[in-house]
Amino acid sequence: MAAELILLSPLDGWAAPLAEVPDPVFAQAMLGDGVAIDPTGSVLHAPCDGVVISVHAARHAVSLRAEGGVELLMHVGLDTVTLGGKGFEAHVVEGQAVRAGERLISFNLAVLAEGAKSLITPIIVTDAAGRTIAARTTGATMKVGERLLTLSAPAGVEEAAAVAGPELTRAIVVPLVHGLHARPAARVAEVAKRFQAEVSLLALNRRANARSPVGIMSLGLRHGDSATLAAAGPDAAAALEALAELIEGGMGEGAPIRKPAAAPVVESAPAKRAGLAQLKGVMASPGLAVGKAVRLFVEELAVVESGQGAADERAALDAAIAAVAGRIAREAESGEGQARRAILGAHAAFLEDPELTGQAARLIGEGKSAGFAWRAAIGAYVEALRGLGDRRIAERVDDLLDLERRVLLVLAGEEDRGPDLPPGAILLAEELLPSQLMGLDAARLAGICTARGGPTSHVAILAASMGVPAVVAAGAGVAAINEGTSLILDADAGLLHVAPDAKALEAAQTTLAVRAERRAAARLASREDCRMADGTRIKVYANLGSVADAEAAEAAGAEGCGLLRTEFLFLERETAPDEDEQAERYGAIAAAIGGRPLIIRLLDVGGDKTASYLPIGPEENPALGVRGVRVLMRRPQVLKTQLRAILRGAPHAKIMVPMVASLSELRAVRAALDDARREMGRVGRSDLGVMIETPAAAAIADLLAAEADFLSVGTNDLTQYALAMDRGNPDLAGEIDALHPAVLRMIAQASEGGRKHALWTGVCGGLAGDLAAVPILIGLGVSELSMPSAAIPEAKALIRTLSPQACADLARKALDEPSAEAVRALSNTFLTGEA
């Protein structure tokens, strides 16, 4: 290995330290160290000899592999991916060998200046292959070909490569409440990649490469399981220490050791009711659909076992994986919806897993074909994941099978053409893969029913995000349904009615028509202020978690925001957002809702929402542990920074405190808020309210109301605490209902507590958007309802038909009902006028 690797400037322009890049991903060297160039030229050149690893589909970034395995990323401008390739021209392709100075990408500076956040171009060493940056040029004007970076191998690297040294080991116990699932597995892999040492994780007589998220997941390490970390190499001891500290620290998900209950087996069988053949499954996405059966039962792709030469087979597999990766990138950029992008991002990460590609390469080296090797490598992990007994991880099998099929299709030179859907199609399948669903014409898809699958699978998430009713796990009877059979899919009940009679079809069509008419009429009047039949004002607000949510809420007729969940800024990142970032985001959301009322909930983490940089020690019951305001009391700087950011970005917003259980917590936040205002030179007073989520808060609502400015009931947590039922437990999904009389009595108590001090009481939990609950909540004294944007038009339309006295009478009756089912029946009778 050469003593030095010289990287030449790939651009004309001003060289600056990476820390000056206005993007924390680059500035904080999350992708690697390097420099940045503010370009004056319009051509990106190769900084050294190497091979092109990848050219991004948007042509704004290119990666090279240089001598000795050093890998480089050159990213032209910031946020240039949003240009979709506009203004860029690529001169190289993946796998192409280049010489220093060769053209890689040309770009139009005028187009980038208009559409990009910045023209500054990071030059990153993403994998130093054991080298270090010994010298760099910054603070100077550069010309293409001038020395920019010098990489030198540290002393002893060559010897270490030849002699790995003894293997060191360390025993660990997994404290993560959900085990080493996808997110913590990815973090372990990320840390492992920082070391030269080869690190493995051993458990149950199996060994996984610590750089492989899929390999780690396949071990099936769950809460309380023992494992061994093993490392060999020059920095093995440091690698063991870092990884042990990461895992044993819990990554924000730690909990005392306890055995989880086994997942239930869902049985489904045909049944007869009211003259209809039925299949019973599990709801994956709510709704009702009427249509014709369209079958999608694909045969397994055939592959030959023997290869035609290791070099050719490896090249074919690499090209197929690269092609699929490119397609995934394009699909993520062109498609809409956060769920779609997140799922495609997970698929892209699996494709890059070194353990998968390494296993396939080993099989190719043994004489197997590319297709056979890829299927075998995927299959080993599929079997491992299916055998874990953990439903959430096992449902990720679909993602691996999807990638298996996509790569095999490319190897075979075939396209994965789905069925041509007629209007109103109800798709039937054994199992549906994410890419198959994303490839369908959503406008013609009325519903989905699969024989297998799970309600938390990626297909279920996609269906819900598309608004397509879906039932999964409906059993083998799905395959027996003929193409074109008339169907009624009642996803809310988890039922597929097969070949219903004319009367049933007519009733279902009538229900759909009534719902459609009601939604259309509601949308037309959604922008008008909401008043009851006698003119009583009821405020209908939206729950928000992003600028996109705010824009959708404004379009839906929201009169303000009753709950801005600020966790969207804090989760899925390595460090807390600073005051400037928070202020900018709060201001953007305030602007997006057009200056309407805005209630911002302070950071609510803990329980099922974790942030790695806010570690919470092991807890016997995280839902009853340090969460909400308790975290803020233990992290006063986090609270202070957030309060200051709100006062800067949205100075007129009301502020809401989560998970309050005592008056002292409200007083502590009030004191911090007053201190922040004083430090910033602000006069006056900010409204500070309490989120009623605990039975304690409901019981002392009158005491809280004496010092708060408003009360808002969070029915999601209040319900689980009142009923002692975990809202994340699928076994209890059919029993946890916020219309339970116990929950309603707590809402009544909170409302009465507010009324004593002339405070308004709102509801911002899921119950606010439940039409069956709306008249009851109003009858209990609630005057503000905050709900998902999609529910706003119909909720407003309903409220306009109600009278305060009728709602009060209904609420009194509801409080005396014996169960949530009885309350729902009472409300439905009230709403249909059958009483």
Side-chain angles (χ1 to χ4, degrees):
M1 185 166 62
E4 290 184 337
L5 176 63
I6 307 301
L7 302 182
L8 308 176
S9 177
L11 286 167
D12 292 337
W14 179 263
L18 205 57
E20 294 182 5
V21 176
D23 185 318
V25 171
F26 296 110
Q28 297 175 20
M30 295 181 188
L31 297 176
D33 200 0
V35 298
I37 298 177
D38 199 353
T40 55
S42 59
V43 179
L44 181 74
H45 299 260
C48 60
D49 296 348
V51 175
V52 177
I53 302 173
S54 66
V55 179
H56 195 279
R59 302 187 291 279
H60 68 295
V62 61
S63 298
L64 292 182
R65 181 176 292 113
E67 175 188 347
V70 173
E71 295 185 0
L72 311 171
L73 168 66
M74 289 156 283
H75 191 286
V76 179
L78 302 181
D79 290 350
T80 40
V81 67
T82 62
L83 297 176
K86 181 181 178 183
F88 289 98
E89 181 183 359
H91 303 293
V92 293
V93 296
E94 295 173 9
Q96 179 177 334
V98 294
R99 304 286 293 177
E102 280 192 42
R103 293 191 309 166
L104 301 176
I105 298 173
S106 297
F107 48 93
N108 187 316
L109 282 170
V111 172
L112 269 62
E114 181 179 352
K117 175 181 177 181
S118 171
L119 295 176
I120 198 162
T121 298
I123 314 298
I124 307 294
V125 181
T126 55
D127 186 345
R131 299 174 181 266
T132 58
I133 297 179
R136 73 187 87 203
T137 303
T138 58
T141 300
M142 303 295 297
K143 291 291 185 183
V144 170
E146 294 180 343
R147 181 182 291 211
L148 182 67
L149 289 168
T150 302
L151 273 65
S152 298
V157 166
E158 295 180 14
E159 291 78 358
V163 181
E167 184 174 74
L168 306 180
T169 61
R170 176 164 172 173
I172 60 170
V173 176
V174 178
L176 286 80
V177 68
H178 298 307
L180 288 181
H181 58 93
R183 191 180 299 110
R187 291 194 60 204
V188 171
E190 177 190 359
V191 172
K193 291 174 184 176
R194 299 174 188 167
F195 297 92
Q196 298 175 53
E198 290 297 322
V199 187
S200 300
L201 197 58
L202 295 83
L204 306 173
N205 297 316
R206 288 182 289 158
R207 188 180 190 109
N209 184 340
R211 294 188 176 100
S212 167
V214 171
I216 295 169
M217 287 172 60
S218 73
L219 292 177
L221 288 170
R222 294 194 271 183
H223 182 226
D225 285 349
S226 298
T228 300
L229 284 166
D235 52 4
L240 285 184
E241 182 66 26
L243 288 168
E245 182 179 354
L246 175 70
I247 296 171
E248 292 181 331
M251 295 181 255
E253 299 182 18
I257 298 170
R258 59 184 179 186
K259 273 292 185 183
V265 176
V266 178
E267 304 232 349
S268 60
K272 279 279 188 178
R273 188 169 67 103
L276 298 180
Q278 295 180 133
L279 295 178
K280 178 75 172 106
V282 178
M283 183 191 77
S285 176
L288 176 69
V290 178
K292 299 287 188 179
V294 175
R295 293 167 52 87
L296 179 60
F297 290 85
V298 296
E299 295 183 2
E300 186 175 274
L301 294 167
V303 296
V304 296
E305 182 172 351
S306 299
Q308 302 297 314
D312 289 344
E313 296 292 343
R314 181 59 192 268
L317 181 59
D318 289 345
I321 291 173
V324 173
R327 291 177 184 177
I328 288 173
R330 289 189 293 274
E331 290 165 359
E333 289 170 15
S334 62
E336 297 182 357
Q338 183 177 354
R340 175 190 176 102
R341 289 191 294 272
I343 291 166
L344 288 169
H347 284 201
F350 282 140
L351 273 184
E352 296 169 358
D353 191 300
E355 198 72 9
L356 282 177
T357 54
Q359 175 64 11
R362 285 190 286 275
L363 291 168
I364 288 174
E366 295 171 4
K368 308 301 183 184
S369 71
F372 183 91
W374 181 247
R375 171 168 285 167
I378 291 280
Y381 285 112
V382 165
E383 291 307 311
L385 294 179
R386 279 178 171 163
L388 295 180
D390 187 319
R391 179 169 50 196
R392 284 168 300 186
I393 290 181
E395 284 179 352
R396 299 293 84 84
V397 163
D398 287 351
D399 300 303
L400 290 172
L401 294 176
D402 201 350
L403 291 174
E404 175 196 307
R405 181 174 180 80
R406 297 190 75 170
V407 170
L408 291 180
L409 284 167
V410 173
L411 286 170
E414 299 179 15
E415 291 292 327
D416 192 9
R417 282 185 50 81
D420 293 325
L421 299 180
I426 294 181
L427 190 71
L428 307 178
E430 180 72 18
E431 275 191 288
L432 196 59
L433 300 176
S435 66
Q436 291 174 321
L437 177 53
M438 286 186 276
L440 296 172
D441 184 351
R444 292 172 171 261
L445 183 62
I448 298 166
C449 183
T450 62
R452 298 194 295 169
T456 61
S457 67
H458 278 163
V459 164
I461 294 168
L462 280 170
S465 71
M466 295 164 65
V468 176
V471 170
V472 297
V478 173
I481 300 172
N482 295 324
E483 185 88 9
T485 301
S486 294
L487 301 171
I488 298 174
L489 182 70
D490 184 356
D492 298 319
L495 292 173
L496 179 69
H497 301 285
V498 182
D501 58 27
K503 184 177 179 181
L505 281 171
E506 182 180 357
Q509 292 284 13
T510 299
T511 299
L512 283 173
V514 169
R515 289 183 183 181
E517 289 177 10
R518 187 174 62 201
R519 285 193 296 268
R523 282 194 295 269
L524 287 175
S526 64
R527 290 186 175 276
E528 300 173 11
D529 283 349
C530 186
R531 296 183 182 278
M532 300 181 73
D534 71 336
T536 299
R537 184 80 166 90
I538 301 293
K539 298 172 184 176
V540 179
Y541 290 172
N543 297 336
L544 307 179
S546 67
V547 172
D549 286 350
E551 292 168 347
E554 199 279 333
E559 300 168 11
C561 167
L563 170 63
L564 174 59
R565 301 180 178 96
T566 57
E567 295 78 53
F568 77 99
L569 266 171
F570 289 81
L571 302 180
E572 304 295 341
R573 57 190 295 163
E574 296 299 316
T575 58
D578 62 20
E579 184 180 320
D580 290 341
E581 180 184 355
Q582 290 189 56
E584 188 277 327
R585 299 294 287 279
Y586 300 146
I589 288 173
I593 62 172
R596 294 177 178 86
L598 172 62
I599 299 176
I600 300 179
R601 181 177 70 187
L602 295 173
L603 176 63
D604 183 12
V605 294
D608 59 349
K609 294 175 285 189
T610 59
S612 60
Y613 53 86
L614 295 174
I616 298 171
E619 297 178 312
E620 180 63 30
N621 190 336
L624 300 179
V626 179
R627 58 169 300 194
V629 70
R630 298 167 192 167
V631 174
L632 299 175
M633 294 297 95
R634 289 160 174 78
R635 298 279 195 277
Q637 189 56 47
V638 173
L639 173 61
K640 179 179 179 179
T641 299
Q642 186 172 29
L643 290 172
R644 288 177 58 90
I646 293 171
L647 293 173
R648 283 177 52 194
H652 303 298
K654 300 178 189 296
I655 299 171
M656 184 159 61
V657 189
M659 293 303 298
V660 169
S662 69
L663 189 57
S664 62
E665 293 165 337
L666 173 62
R667 288 173 173 170
V669 177
R670 168 59 75 186
L673 177 57
D674 290 345
D675 287 345
R677 290 190 65 89
R678 195 161 40 249
E679 291 175 6
M680 298 172 71
R682 303 292 176 88
V683 296
R685 187 174 184 274
S686 296
D687 280 356
L688 184 67
V690 172
M691 199 164 180
I692 306 294
E693 302 175 271
T694 66
I700 62 168
D702 57 333
L703 302 180
L704 296 170
E707 300 187 26
D709 296 300
F710 63 92
L711 305 178
S712 186
V713 181
T715 54
N716 298 352
D717 273 320
L718 183 62
T719 302
Q720 77 164 349
Y721 291 133
L723 303 183
M725 292 183 183
D726 180 0
R727 58 190 172 106
N729 187 330
D731 294 350
L732 301 175
E735 300 176 51
I736 186 165
D737 189 334
L739 278 181
H740 192 289
V743 181
L744 294 180
R745 290 184 180 211
M746 288 186 177
I747 296 173
Q749 193 171 10
S751 180
E752 179 59 29
R755 189 181 300 113
K756 284 184 180 179
H757 298 276
L759 294 192
W760 60 265
T761 299
V763 171
C764 60
L767 195 63
D770 185 337
L771 294 182
V774 166
I776 297 174
L777 294 175
I778 293 173
L780 293 175
V782 171
S783 59
E784 181 251 42
L785 298 168
S786 191
M787 61 193 67
S789 296
I792 288 173
E794 289 188 75
K796 280 188 166 185
L798 171 61
I799 291 168
R800 293 187 183 108
T801 69
L802 302 175
S803 74
Q805 187 58 53
C807 290
D809 292 343
L810 176 67
R812 278 194 296 273
K813 293 177 182 177
L815 294 179
D816 291 331
E817 292 292 339
S819 65
E821 294 83 0
V823 173
R824 287 198 175 275
L826 176 71
S827 182
N828 288 334
T829 299
F830 172 83
L831 292 174
T832 57
E834 296 176 1

